[in-house]
């Protein structure tokens, strides 16, 4: 509605602002729902495997079966996300994951679930959930610009929402596993995937950046290989980017050993069961949420390299060492609270770097390639941890992995290439096809930014 002179009323302006913010709110909400489900899986599946097999080694193998397809899908999925459309990929990903997870408890109740079936169904979820998460992730810069939200603020908000979802999901999952059983948790996880699909279906309809790419050449095997090469070429042009990829690749494998085997076994043997694990994961996620919000508020005033290094040192090795040296919950709870604050600053830094440096035409491919790089060791994390726990014991495994984690997190302080995290971004190389203008949230984006491209540590 307008006034007679043709000027928009306050109501019209408010409605337009609400419509502009709607797609960003949809992505944040859908991602929160989906990640809440992932938190249910993070606790429910290891306990389901331990309850049904009684073997840490088999629980680690289930984690391997879930993680390996994630690597495969991220290695090759970037071009397909652009061609098929980010909205479609997100919806299909959630629906397939929900169906696969719901099948596990249903087969178990029928008495026909075999161990190989559990592994196969977890492989399906691993294959399909990463493209959906990537599709939502790469939409954030455009939706933030549409909503008038500064890019660093949007990146911090995206990570804070994810952290909050992990905190809620972990707390609920621990209680549900303790009182209702792991199979109930898996059914609820399936429901969250369905809800996420419904939100994206309704909330991103007609959003141009969420639709399939229409103006490029048709996708053929040759074109697909060329698209894939462009993403990896952009990714490997910087020593800083290579350093980030290698570091996060190692820490992701170590973190997978913690979440899929070490913490569940420690909780079962020393801490009293899944409720304690849920409390620990929830406190960690809640403090990571606080760390992400704190960085969004004041972190941009400090050098990114220093903040990143400090966050990884605090959030990396200490939980492993403390878990090895104590059999009570309180010391580990305090350690994980501090670790969460440290880890909370990491994703906003690396996400902002990636958004600022990678042009929209390459974003899905570069994010897919970078995610594949940092996930290379993830399938081995749970598998190796299960093997080591059965061979040398839980305490020795925790200390050994903690020592390796500490050495890895020294990289930003040791290697000169990491100084590029505080450098001003250069324009995209002219010889990369499709490397047009870099997305920006507007003049509120701070001037000091790191070098080209980065990936997100996952814990």
């Amino acid at each position: 509605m307008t006034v007679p002179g043709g000027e928009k009323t306050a109501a019209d302006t408010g409605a337009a602002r609400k419509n502009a913010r709607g797609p960003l709110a949809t992505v944040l909400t859908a991602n929160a729902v989906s990640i809440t489900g992932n938190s249910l899986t993070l606790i429910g599946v290891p306990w389901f495997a331990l309850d049904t097999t009684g073997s840490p080694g088999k629980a680690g193998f289930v984690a391997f079966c879930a993680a390996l397809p994630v690597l495969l899908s991220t290695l090759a999925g970037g071009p397909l996300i652009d061609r098929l459309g980010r909205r479609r990929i997100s919806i299909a990903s959630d629906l397939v994951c929900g169906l696969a997870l719901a099948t596990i408890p249903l087969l178990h109740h029928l008495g026909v679930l075999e161990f190989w079936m559990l592994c196969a169904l977890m492989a399906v979820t691993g294959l399909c959930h990463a493209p959906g998460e990537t599709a939502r992730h790469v939409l954030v810069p455009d939706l933030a610009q549409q909503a008038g939200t500064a890019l660093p603020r949007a990146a911090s908000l995206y990570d804070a929402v994810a952290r909050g979802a992990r905190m809620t999901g972990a707390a609920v999952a621990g209680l549900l596993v303790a009182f209702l059983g792991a199979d109930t948790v898996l059914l609820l996880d399936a429901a969250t995937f369905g809800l996420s699909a419904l939100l994206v279906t309704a909330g991103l309809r007609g959003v141009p950046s969420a639709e399939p790419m229409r103006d490029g050449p048709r996708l053929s095997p040759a074109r697909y290989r060329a698209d894939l090469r462009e993403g990896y070429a952009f990714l490997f042009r910087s020593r800083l980017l290579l350093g980030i990829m290698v570091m996060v690749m190692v820490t992701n494998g170590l973190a997978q050993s913690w979440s899929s085997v070490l913490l569940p076994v420690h909780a079962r043997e020393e801490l009293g069961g899944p409720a304690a694990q849920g409390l620990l994961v929830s406190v960690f996620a809640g403090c990571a949420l606080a760390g992400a919000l704190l960085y969004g508020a004041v972190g941009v005033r400090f050098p990114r390299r220093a903040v990143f290094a400090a966050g990884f040192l605090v959030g990396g090795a200490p939980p492993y060492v403390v878990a090895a040296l104590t059999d009570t919950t309180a010391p580990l709870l305090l350690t994980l609270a501090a670790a969460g604050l440290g880890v909370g600053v990491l994703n906003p830094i690396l996400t902002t770097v990636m958004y600022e440096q990678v042009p929209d035409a390459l974003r899905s491919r570069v994010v897919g390639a970078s995610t594949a790089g940092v996930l290379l060791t993830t399938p081995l994390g749970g598998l190796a941890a299960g093997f080591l726990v059965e061979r040398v014991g839980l305490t020795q495994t925790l200390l050994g992995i903690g020592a390796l984690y500490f050495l890895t997190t020294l990289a930003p302080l040791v290697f000169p290439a990491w100084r590029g995290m505080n450098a001003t971004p250069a324009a995209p190389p002219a010889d990369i096809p499709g490397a047009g203008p870099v997305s920006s949230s507007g003049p509120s984006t701070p001037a000091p930014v790191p070098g080209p491209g980065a990936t997100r540590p996952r814990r």
Side-chain angles (χ1 to χ4, degrees):
M1 179 178 179
T2 59
V3 296
E7 297 179 356
K8 290 185 178 181
T9 65
D12 291 328
T13 303
R17 186 179 295 113
K18 182 178 180 181
N19 290 335
R21 293 175 178 174
L24 179 60
T26 294
V27 166
L28 294 175
T29 304
N31 213 46
V33 171
S34 181
I35 288 175
T36 299
N38 288 340
S39 296
L40 298 179
T41 300
L42 182 69
I43 292 179
V45 169
W47 279 97
F48 185 84
L50 286 171
D51 288 343
T52 55
T53 68
S55 168
K58 286 188 175 181
F61 187 75
V62 171
F64 171 80
C65 291
L68 181 61
V70 176
L71 171 61
L72 298 178
S73 65
T74 52
L75 277 170
L80 292 179
I81 292 173
D82 285 336
R83 300 289 179 156
L84 298 180
R86 296 161 180 174
R87 175 172 172 268
R88 292 178 182 177
I89 290 292
S90 179
I91 294 169
S93 169
D94 283 338
L95 291 177
V96 173
C97 288
L99 181 61
L101 283 169
T103 301
I104 295 173
L106 292 177
L107 291 178
H108 180 63
H109 282 302
L110 293 173
V112 297
L113 182 67
E114 302 287 345
F115 181 69
W116 70 265
M117 296 178 185
L118 174 62
C119 294
L121 289 168
M122 288 308 301
V124 171
T125 65
L127 184 67
C128 295
H129 96 264
E133 185 176 335
T134 300
R136 291 187 292 271
H137 177 61
V138 298
L139 279 169
V140 171
D142 295 309
L143 301 186
Q145 187 173 20
Q146 177 181 327
T149 302
L151 183 54
R153 192 162 299 150
S156 294
L157 182 61
Y158 183 89
D159 190 61
V161 169
R163 300 288 187 183
R166 290 189 183 97
M167 174 184 64
T168 304
V172 172
L175 294 174
L176 289 177
V177 171
F179 292 105
L180 299 178
D183 50 352
T184 301
V185 172
L186 296 183
L187 286 174
L188 287 175
D189 191 1
T192 63
F193 278 111
L195 179 57
S196 176
L198 287 175
L199 288 170
V200 172
T201 300
L204 295 185
R205 190 184 303 275
V207 175
S209 57
E211 296 303 315
M213 186 171 62
R214 306 289 187 186
D215 55 355
R218 294 185 61 183
L219 185 61
S220 62
R223 182 66 256 174
Y224 176 83
R225 290 192 296 271
D227 287 349
L228 209 58
R229 282 195 300 271
E230 289 172 10
Y232 281 95
F234 192 97
L235 187 65
F236 282 100
R237 285 178 176 268
S238 166
R239 286 184 296 173
L240 170 63
L241 182 57
L242 289 175
I244 291 173
M245 178 183 295
V246 172
M247 178 181 178
V248 180
M249 177 183 69
V250 174
T251 58
N252 275 350
L254 302 178
Q256 177 71 5
S257 72
W258 170 262
S259 61
S260 63
V261 175
L262 299 178
L263 182 57
V265 172
H266 182 60
R268 185 180 67 168
E269 294 183 357
E270 305 289 352
L271 306 180
Q277 181 187 353
L279 174 64
L280 292 169
V281 176
S282 180
V283 167
F284 175 86
C287 291
L289 165 63
L293 292 174
L294 184 63
Y295 181 81
V298 301
V300 295
R301 303 174 186 175
F302 303 98
R304 290 178 177 174
R305 180 191 180 204
V307 175
F308 183 83
F312 242 138
L313 286 170
V314 172
Y320 298 85
V321 177
V322 173
L325 300 179
T326 183
D327 58 359
T328 57
T329 302
L332 187 56
L333 190 68
L334 294 175
T335 304
L336 284 171
L341 288 172
V343 167
V345 307
L346 304 180
N347 283 353
I349 292 174
L350 297 184
T351 300
T352 301
V353 171
M354 186 275 295
Y355 285 157
E356 289 173 341
Q357 297 295 327
V358 180
D360 181 65
L362 296 177
R363 194 178 297 142
S364 294
R365 282 167 272 172
V366 173
V367 170
S370 63
T371 303
V374 301
L375 291 178
L376 280 173
T377 62
T378 302
L380 301 176
L383 189 66
F387 175 82
L388 289 173
V389 168
E390 291 191 344
R391 295 299 186 274
V392 303
L394 179 61
T395 299
Q396 289 78 5
T397 303
L398 284 166
L399 289 174
I401 291 179
L404 182 57
Y405 211 133
F406 174 73
L407 292 175
T408 304
T409 51
L410 292 177
L413 303 175
V414 172
F415 296 105
W418 287 83
R419 296 170 186 165
M421 292 196 86
N422 297 326
T424 303
D431 59 337
I432 297 181
V438 177
S439 296
S440 172
S441 60
S444 57
T445 302
V449 292
T455 54
R456 298 170 295 149
R458 299 173 179 230
R459 185 173 175 99

